[in-house]
Amino acid sequence: MKIRLLAGLLALGLAAVGCGGAKVETSPSSSAAPAASGSSAATGTVKIAINPWVGYEASANVVAYLLKNELHYNVELPEIKEQLAWEGFETGDVDVIIENWGHPDLKKKFIEEKKVATEAGSTGNKGIIGWYVPKWMADKYPDITDYKNLNKYASLFKTSESSGKGQLLDGDPSYVTNDEALVKNLKLNYKVVTGGSEAALLKSATQAQEQQKALLFYFWTPHWLFDKVDLVRVNLPAWTDGCDADPKKVACDYPEMDLDKIVSKKFADTGGKAYELVKNFSWTNEDQNAVANDMTNNGLTGEQAAKKWIEANTAKWQAWIPK
């Protein structure tokens, strides 16, 4: 999840989401002509990038469902890695990033310098990245949650991929992470191993609890996993303003982030009611987790999970619909 969270050309960046949820459904790619007032015909096409974690998919599917069924837009949901999605603002391939984890460097490049994107307000979600161990480990080794003691337990986390050191498991390689710098700068006897996806992290965390296997891994909130698996966060040096300004010198924890929405400048200027809906969209971590859990664990597609949440939360989403 999370700064969450690197890669080449946008055209080469379309990839499978690779997370535990169901694949996202897309609408027809052709854009319909604007409909007359009161018509149910489509009024245009909105392109919402899909980044590779299920919480993002949950938000995107709810917004997409409302755009299609309440405002009568077509919606495209191209699956694009996190940083590459920003390139789409310049090429016209992306109108909306529905959940942005920080990225001050990309905001500077695409909002301030190139002026092809703009902020569209908070999602309402509070995002936190951190290092976690299963609760059984914290119970058995109470001091393991202090980073200063991690080297003492490094042998517990050795794997065939960690080169004789302890393993710190990361997720999708496109996620923004300070973990390599943290391991080096905190002088930890660990190797960062990339699991490859959100799904890999979920599987490892579940097995660590069920099989009493040692695991130290990168993860984030909001996420439904915390309702299923007891996890304890490792305390890294406290985050202070500016402590992570130089990526190579980071030696502090991740900050809590107010996740926000980023849209193309063109969409903000000409998107009409679609832009207003995206700007108005704001919900809680619990809301997102409910939809994401249905997508991952209850066999619902993104559209089905969105529909279920929307039917149960009329008052919330009606406040987002432009008057």
Side-chain angles (χ1 to χ4, degrees), residues 98-151:
I98 203 65
E99 181 177 285
N100 170 59
W101 286 71
H103 292 299
D105 55 335
L106 296 176
K107 285 186 175 182
K108 181 179 179 181
K109 179 178 180 180
F110 291 98
I111 296 177
E112 297 177 19
E113 296 174 359
K114 294 194 172 187
K115 302 185 186 305
V116 295
T118 187
E119 296 173 322
S122 172
T123 66
N125 297 127
K126 304 300 180 184
I128 304 176
I129 300 169
W131 293 0
Y132 292 87
V133 295
K135 186 176 182 296
W136 72 263
M137 293 198 76
D139 290 341
K140 187 172 182 178
Y141 312 105
D143 62 344
I144 202 171
T145 57
D146 184 337
Y147 83 94
K148 295 176 183 177
N149 299 316
L150 284 176
N151 282 345

Side-chain angles (χ1 to χ4, degrees), residues 147 181-182 185-186 236-238 243-244 246-253:
Y147 83 94
L182 284 167
N185 296 329
L186 296 178
L236 299 174
C243 71
D244 51 1
D246 185 340
K248 294 182 180 180
K249 296 181 180 180
V250 177
C252 59
D253 211 340

Side-chain angles (χ1 to χ4, degrees), residues 1-319:
M1 4 167 125
K2 350 54 257 86
I3 279 184
R4 196 62 111 144
L5 297 171
L6 275 150
L9 297 173
L10 175 64
L12 298 177
L14 301 178
V17 170
C19 58
K23 281 196 62 130
V24 183
E25 299 175 351
T26 59
S27 298
S29 59
S30 59
S31 175
S37 177
S39 170
S40 61
T43 57
T45 298
V46 181
K47 303 171 184 177
I48 305 176
I50 296 297
N51 290 169
W53 60 93
V54 72
Y56 185 111
E57 288 186 68
S59 295
N61 272 281
V62 166
V63 172
Y65 190 94
L66 293 172
L67 284 169
K68 288 187 286 186
N69 293 283
E70 294 296 320
L71 300 183
H72 311 299
Y73 284 81
N74 288 322
V75 181
E76 294 180 15
L77 300 172
E79 298 172 355
I80 309 175
K81 297 294 187 180
E82 189 175 4
Q83 294 207 348
L84 288 173
W86 289 73
E87 303 286 346
F89 294 139
E90 192 167 22
T91 63
D93 291 311
V94 172
D95 295 316
V96 180
I97 290 175
I98 203 65
E99 181 177 285
N100 170 59
W101 286 71
H103 292 299
D105 55 335
L106 296 176
K107 285 186 175 182
K108 181 179 179 181
K109 179 178 180 180
F110 291 98
I111 296 177
E112 297 177 19
E113 296 174 359
K114 294 194 172 187
K115 302 185 186 305
V116 295
T118 187
E119 296 173 322
S122 172
T123 66
N125 297 127
K126 304 300 180 184
I128 304 176
I129 300 169
W131 293 0
Y132 292 87
V133 295
K135 186 176 182 296
W136 72 263
M137 293 198 76
D139 290 341
K140 187 172 182 178
Y141 312 105
D143 62 344
I144 202 171
T145 57
D146 184 337
Y147 83 94
K148 295 176 183 177
N149 299 316
L150 284 176
N151 282 345
K152 182 168 67 170
Y153 297 105
S155 61
L156 296 176
F157 299 101
K158 285 183 182 178
T159 70
S160 59
E161 300 177 76
S162 63
S163 304
K165 299 181 178 181
Q167 174 180 278
L168 170 59
L169 184 65
D170 273 17
D172 189 299
S174 71
Y175 293 170
V176 170
T177 166
N178 297 329
D179 290 354
E180 293 278 5
L182 284 167
V183 166
K184 178 181 178 181
N185 296 329
L186 296 178
K187 297 179 172 55
L188 299 176
N189 187 31
Y190 285 76
K191 178 181 178 180
V192 177
V193 175
T194 301
S197 67
E198 180 185 33
L201 293 178
L202 296 176
K203 181 179 180 180
S204 295
T206 302
Q207 289 180 341
Q209 174 173 270
E210 293 176 348
Q211 303 174 17
Q212 297 275 292
K213 294 174 65 174
L215 178 67
L216 174 65
F217 71 117
Y218 163 112
F219 210 64
W220 62 93
T221 59
H223 205 287
W224 59 262
L225 181 66
F226 291 91
D227 294 328
K228 306 287 185 181
V229 177
D230 288 330
L231 301 171
V232 179
R233 188 175 178 184
V234 172
N235 296 312
L236 299 174
W239 182 88
T240 56
D241 190 23
C243 71
D244 51 1
D246 185 340
K248 294 182 180 180
K249 296 181 180 180
V250 177
C252 59
D253 211 340
Y254 294 89
E256 177 177 325
M257 283 176 280
D258 184 14
L259 305 185
D260 62 350
K261 299 154 291 187
I262 309 295
V263 301
S264 72
K265 184 66 166 58
K266 180 179 178 181
F267 181 65
D269 291 341
T270 66
K273 288 189 175 182
Y275 167 67
E276 290 183 53
L277 171 59
V278 170
K279 189 174 181 180
N280 292 341
F281 167 70
S282 179
W283 64 351
T284 67
N285 286 10
E286 290 74 20
D287 290 325
Q288 186 185 92
N289 289 343
V291 178
N293 183 58
D294 277 337
M295 292 172 63
T296 308
N297 300 313
N298 295 333
L300 274 61
T301 66
E303 186 171 21
Q304 289 168 342
K307 183 175 186 287
K308 177 182 174 182
W309 184 89
I310 285 165
E311 290 177 345
N313 294 275
T314 305
K316 286 188 179 181
W317 64 261
Q318 282 187 339

